[in-house]
Amino acid sequence: MKPLNYRMKHSLSGTSATVLHLFSSRVVALSILALLAFGVTSCNSQKRLAKKQAKEARLAQIEQAKADLLEIINDDGKIPFEVKERKFNAVKALNLDDKEVRRLLPIAEEKLAKDRVEWLRQKEEDLRRREAEMRERERMEQEKRAANIKIQSALTAVATASDLRTANIRISEALQLFASPDVPLLILISQEGNIRDYDRPTTIQKYLELLKDQRRYSNDIENVLYDAAGKITELELRKR
């Protein structure tokens, strides 16, 4: 038979182990409950935060919608019509449940309707102006081509004259196109970028005499300046 004190120690040891086990189990259970409670609290906090943020975003959306509608209503033509129409459609699509937004929407829509009439009128006017400008440019280009052809023909006629008498007649006819026999004439020899290299300057009279002697013309017209009477005041040719 084991001594009493041994049995008591053994009994106490078993009891301590049981108590420790129960304590550990309780700690674990409390920890789990605490974690669950924290999780629930955290989840509720996130929901409240998300709800607050959504509310703030909605209020900001409403304020922006009001500002856009007032901008449309108060515009005096500085904002392009397409921009105003795009803003109005964006606000309308939001379908905001706000008394002030609902009040401003029809006012802005009525203002847009008036602006659309003016916008269409302006577009039509701009189209007509662009077409008129294009026709004027085409007319001027045609006149320029016709004038250049006339100058080219006059110069070529001098160079290809069959005899001196005919050449002198052609020179007299060519000079009728110019403001005077001393009108400056330039011949562009070469060009690299903005750098232009010219032959020695001369006058139209001297150049026509040169054509009569050389009996050859091999340039193209680069630029022509005219006076108010339509006479040439400067002629610039380009070597072919």
Side-chain angles (χ1 to χ4, degrees):
M1 185 176 181
K2 295 182 180 180
L4 179 61
N5 60 351
Y6 172 81
R7 290 198 305 271
M8 291 178 65
K9 287 179 180 180
H10 181 72
S11 177
L12 287 172
S13 177
T15 302
S16 297
T18 301
V19 171
L20 182 60
H21 177 71
L22 290 173
F23 178 75
S24 299
S25 298
R26 181 167 295 180
V27 168
V28 172
L30 289 173
S31 298
I32 293 172
L33 289 173
L35 287 172
L36 290 172
F38 176 78
V40 171
T41 303
S42 177
C43 183
N44 289 335
S45 297
Q46 289 178 354
K47 287 181 179 179
R48 285 195 297 272
L49 179 61
K51 189 175 181 180
K52 180 183 177 182
Q53 290 175 339
K55 184 178 179 181
E56 290 175 351
R58 193 69 171 172
L59 289 174
Q61 201 174 41
I62 290 172
E63 290 305 312
Q64 185 61 52
K66 292 178 186 177
D68 288 344
L69 292 174
L70 287 172
E71 187 178 40
I72 294 169
I73 293 168
N74 297 323
D75 177 56
D76 58 356
K78 295 179 180 178
I79 305 173
F81 176 77
E82 297 91 333
V83 174
K84 292 184 290 187
E85 188 174 48
R86 185 165 58 251
K87 285 187 175 184
F88 176 80
N89 290 334
V91 172
K92 190 174 182 180
L94 292 173
N95 196 26
L96 296 171
D97 186 17
D98 180 81
K99 183 178 179 180
E100 183 65 8
V101 172
R102 290 197 301 270
R103 184 185 74 82
L104 292 174
L105 272 170
I107 301 175
E109 189 170 24
E110 184 178 357
K111 175 68 163 50
L112 269 183
K114 294 178 181 178
D115 291 347
R116 184 179 288 104
V117 173
E118 175 61 20
W119 176 64
L120 291 173
R121 186 197 66 77
Q122 188 64 46
K123 281 189 68 175
E124 182 66 25
E125 185 177 303
D126 290 344
L127 179 61
R128 286 198 299 268
R129 186 181 67 254
R130 287 195 299 271
E131 289 176 345
E133 290 173 351
M134 184 173 65
R135 287 194 299 270
E136 179 63 15
R137 285 196 300 270
E138 290 175 350
R139 184 190 66 79
M140 292 178 66
E141 284 296 322
Q142 288 175 356
E143 288 185 355
K144 181 180 178 181
R145 286 194 295 270
N148 287 354
I149 290 172
K150 190 174 183 179
I151 297 169
Q152 288 282 79
S153 298
L155 298 178
T156 302
V158 173
T160 59
S162 58
D163 51 57
L164 288 178
R165 179 176 175 279
T166 304
N168 288 331
I169 293 172
R170 298 293 177 260
I171 288 175
S172 297
E173 292 172 348
L175 287 174
Q176 297 301 312
L177 302 174
F178 295 83
S180 79
D182 297 324
V183 164
L185 183 139
L186 302 172
I187 299 177
L188 181 62
I189 299 174
S190 63
Q191 180 176 359
E192 292 185 10
N194 294 326
I195 301 174
R196 299 162 71 90
D197 186 20
Y198 289 92
D199 200 351
R200 180 181 298 177
T202 186
T203 65
I204 185 59
Q205 177 74 58
K206 292 179 180 179
Y207 183 70
L208 290 171
E209 293 293 339
L210 179 65
L211 291 180
K212 180 179 70 173
D213 294 338
Q214 291 184 343
R215 303 182 63 135
R216 182 172 59 87
Y217 174 69
S218 58
N219 296 324
D220 293 315
I221 295 175
E222 178 71 9
N223 191 36
V224 187
L225 297 181
Y226 295 90
D227 61 13
K231 297 291 186 177
I232 300 171
T233 57
E234 184 177 310
L235 178 60
E236 182 179 341
L237 304 176
R238 175 191 289 268
K239 277 190 177 296
R240 291 176 185 166

